[in-house]
Amino acid sequence: MNIIDELTWRGAINQMSDEEELRKKVEEKSIGVYCGVDPTGDSLHIGHLIPFMMLKRFQMAGHRAHIIIGGGTGSIGDPSGRNSERVLQTMEQVHHNEEALTSQMKHLFGKDNITIVNNYDWLSKIDLLSFLRDYGKLFSINTMLNKEVVSSRLESGISFTEFTYQILQSIDFHHLLKEKDVELQIGGADQWGNITAGIDMIHKIEGSDTEAFALTIPLMLKADGTKFGKTAGGAVWLDPEKTTPYEFYQFWLNQDDRDVVKYLKYFTFLTKEEIDELAKKVAAEPEKREAQRRLAEEVTAFVHGKDAVIQAEHISKALFSGDVKMLTATEIKQGFKKMPTVEIANESMNIVDWLVSTQIEKSKRQAREDVTNGAIYINGDRIKDLDYIINPAESFEGKFVIARRGKKKYFLAKVK
């Protein structure tokens, strides 16, 4: 299947310049393709992942993938998708973020057919007068004002700094075309104006017959109309310290039946036949959630590795069954990250006193009643003995005690 046909089937194309010529190009030879990200933070989130999944598909189809980590553009701020000016970061913070994002990209893309560059390397060498003479003259203010990324900001206001962003992005495209033979730029739907501005500049400098192409990805919305990638707790990050692999797995596992097939097309490398089969199961047996489970497995393995999938499934099984004894201290740290948590001293204590001191129970009377009735579990074991002694050193490497009241109310006690 032609890569353009595959992306079309996956619903991954919003706009594309010169489709007929690009389609022919990717069939004839390996072409250079690039996608960029600015180091506004020290981790990608899953919203960032969408265009890079498309870049990964080009890489897997034998094309030469290029990633720009925008150390230069990131230092001034992209106006798209915002109603106000970005707060400029220190260059020290920008460089820290560059290193973190580069590490994530290397993990996702491996070593074959991939080049990672930083646009600070060439943008920082352009002096002001050269910028105005060599590039500023090529851009019409009228045209720039009509670009959606700028026009959407005119009412709230936009600085000259962010206004010039599309010129810098155009310079990036031209630089990669000349230095790396990159002919196609991929971006989100909001990047169409910036990418086509680059194509226009390339034609003015190199000639109108120079081949340069644009491809953008649709804005992704959930079936309920809300923006994809956000949860009640905020963004879903690729950094395991920000979003644990277990949380990451659970995010995908909990997707709506109405969205899961779309996400399988976007975020996995399963074949059309495999996804069509899973789509049938969603329609016939939605309660089994096989499509969601496969989605969670595939995306978690891609981002965090297969061992992370095994660990996430292990944590899920333990929490569902209540058999938390099977968990390691590391797994507890992941699975109980958002559970009610208290700190305790590393000392033994009677269960009734312990339940009250941790505020799991409001009174000794209630604690005694719940213990007697079998409603209290410590580290997965039901405790009905009012004389039971809790010793934190005896469980989970002496780091945690897990209490449960009733069927599902878990509490995590962390040893100080």
Side-chain angles (χ1 to χ4, degrees):
M1 185 187 296
N2 183 298
I3 183 67
I4 301 301
D5 290 331
E6 181 183 355
L7 294 180
T8 300
W9 168 73
R10 290 183 183 274
I13 298 178
N14 183 56
Q15 288 177 283
M16 181 170 33
S17 66
D18 203 349
E19 177 180 350
E20 184 178 344
E21 188 60 34
L22 179 58
R23 183 183 294 275
K24 187 167 66 174
K25 198 86 172 172
V26 297
E27 287 181 345
E28 291 175 349
K29 66 171 188 175
S30 170
I31 69 166
V33 189
Y34 100 87
C35 186
V37 62
D38 283 341
T40 51
D42 60 3
S43 174
L44 299 174
H45 56 67
I46 56 174
H48 291 130
L49 195 57
I50 301 170
F52 285 101
M53 292 299 292
M54 304 313 140
L55 184 65
K56 181 73 176 180
R57 296 187 199 285
F58 273 96
Q59 180 196 34
M60 294 174 67
H63 298 285
R64 293 174 287 108
H66 293 73
I67 295 170
I68 286 185
I69 305 294
T73 44
S75 67
I76 71 161
D78 178 358
S80 69
R82 298 177 66 87
N83 293 319
S84 60
E85 291 285 314
R86 290 183 185 272
V87 176
L88 295 181
Q89 301 180 99
T90 65
M91 290 308 297
E92 181 181 10
Q93 184 63 49
V94 170
H95 291 322
H96 166 76
N97 295 346
E98 289 168 11
E99 292 176 359
L101 296 186
T102 299
S103 177
Q104 286 186 341
M105 291 300 183
K106 286 180 177 178
H107 173 73
L108 294 176
F109 283 84
K111 297 179 179 179
D112 297 330
N113 289 340
I114 183 67
T115 301
I116 302 176
V117 293
N118 186 336
N119 63 13
Y120 184 84
D121 294 343
W122 57 86
L123 293 179
S124 62
K125 295 175 182 176
I126 303 172
D127 63 75
L128 176 60
L129 293 180
S130 296
F131 173 76
L132 294 174
R133 286 177 60 87
D134 297 341
Y135 301 106
K137 276 290 187 180
L138 303 176
F139 287 80
S140 161
I141 291 293
N142 293 351
T143 302
M144 292 175 74
L145 288 171
N146 286 328
K147 299 289 186 182
E148 185 180 354
V149 290
V150 173
S151 63
S152 63
R153 285 281 300 279
L154 292 180
E155 187 172 334
S156 60
I158 182 171
S159 69
F160 178 73
T161 298
E162 291 194 5
F163 182 63
T164 62
Y165 187 95
Q166 62 182 280
I167 301 179
L168 298 186
Q169 188 168 328
S170 298
I171 294 172
D172 288 345
F173 199 171
H174 181 246
H175 176 87
L176 289 186
L177 176 75
K178 296 295 289 182
E179 299 297 324
K180 304 290 185 181
D181 193 27
V182 171
E183 298 168 283
L184 171 63
Q185 182 180 171
I186 294 175
D190 60 346
Q191 291 297 310
W192 178 255
N194 287 341
I195 299 174
T196 54
I199 293 175
D200 291 341
M201 191 191 83
I202 286 169
H203 287 161
K204 289 175 181 176
I205 296 175
E206 303 296 335
S208 58
D209 59 343
T210 302
E211 292 184 311
F213 304 93
L215 188 155
T216 59
I217 315 303
L219 174 66
M220 186 172 287
L221 297 175
K222 295 190 287 188
D224 61 9
T226 60
K227 192 173 181 180
F228 166 79
K230 300 287 186 180
T231 67
V236 179
W237 300 97
L238 272 56
D239 183 342
E241 295 300 317
K242 294 177 183 290
T243 299
T244 68
Y246 169 73
E247 291 174 303
F248 191 84
Y249 179 91
Q250 288 292 318
F251 170 81
W252 299 103
L253 187 65
N254 291 323
Q255 292 306 314
D256 193 303
D257 289 340
R258 296 171 295 174
D259 291 319
V260 65
V261 174
K262 176 172 68 176
Y263 296 164
L264 283 165
K265 291 179 179 179
Y266 261 79
F267 293 102
T268 77
F269 301 101
L270 298 178
T271 64
K272 183 178 186 300
E273 291 71 25
E274 289 173 307
I275 293 175
D276 286 346
E277 186 62 31
L278 287 167
K280 291 177 184 176
K281 291 180 178 180
V282 172
E285 302 173 307
E287 70 282 357
K288 292 187 176 181
R289 300 185 70 76
E290 287 189 44
Q292 283 87 344
R293 186 166 292 105
R294 190 66 187 277
L295 175 67
E297 290 171 358
E298 293 291 323
V299 187
T300 305
F302 174 60
V303 172
H304 295 297
K306 292 182 179 179
D307 287 347
V309 175
I310 295 171
Q311 192 174 60
E313 291 176 340
H314 189 233
I315 296 170
S316 299
K317 182 179 179 181
L319 292 178
F320 181 78
S321 67
D323 187 12
V324 295
K325 289 193 297 293
M326 69 171 69
L327 298 176
T328 65
T330 300
E331 290 170 336
I332 288 169
K333 188 177 178 181
Q334 284 195 50
F336 285 78
K337 183 179 175 182
K338 293 185 178 178
M339 301 285 187
T341 302
V342 296
E343 287 193 341
I344 59 172
N346 189 13
E347 57 186 36
S348 299
M349 189 180 295
N350 170 269
I351 187 170
V352 173
D353 295 331
W354 189 87
L355 289 170
V356 175
S357 70
T358 56
Q359 298 184 335
I360 293 172
E361 296 284 15
K362 294 181 179 179
S363 67
K364 287 188 176 184
R365 183 193 63 78
Q366 187 63 54
R368 283 193 290 266
E369 184 177 317
D370 284 346
V371 171
T372 302
N373 291 337
I376 298 298
Y377 297 75
I378 300 297
N379 299 329
D381 294 326
R382 176 181 279 173
I383 307 299
K384 301 180 75 173
D385 180 3
L386 292 173
D387 294 323
Y388 180 83
I389 301 297
I390 293 177
N391 181 2
E394 294 179 345
S395 60
F396 309 119
E397 302 173 25
K399 295 179 179 178
F400 304 105
V401 175
I402 297 175
R404 189 177 111 212
R405 189 178 67 219
K407 290 185 177 181
K408 294 184 178 180
K409 190 67 175 176
Y410 280 98
F411 301 87
L412 179 65
K414 295 171 64 175
V415 178
K416 295 178 185 176

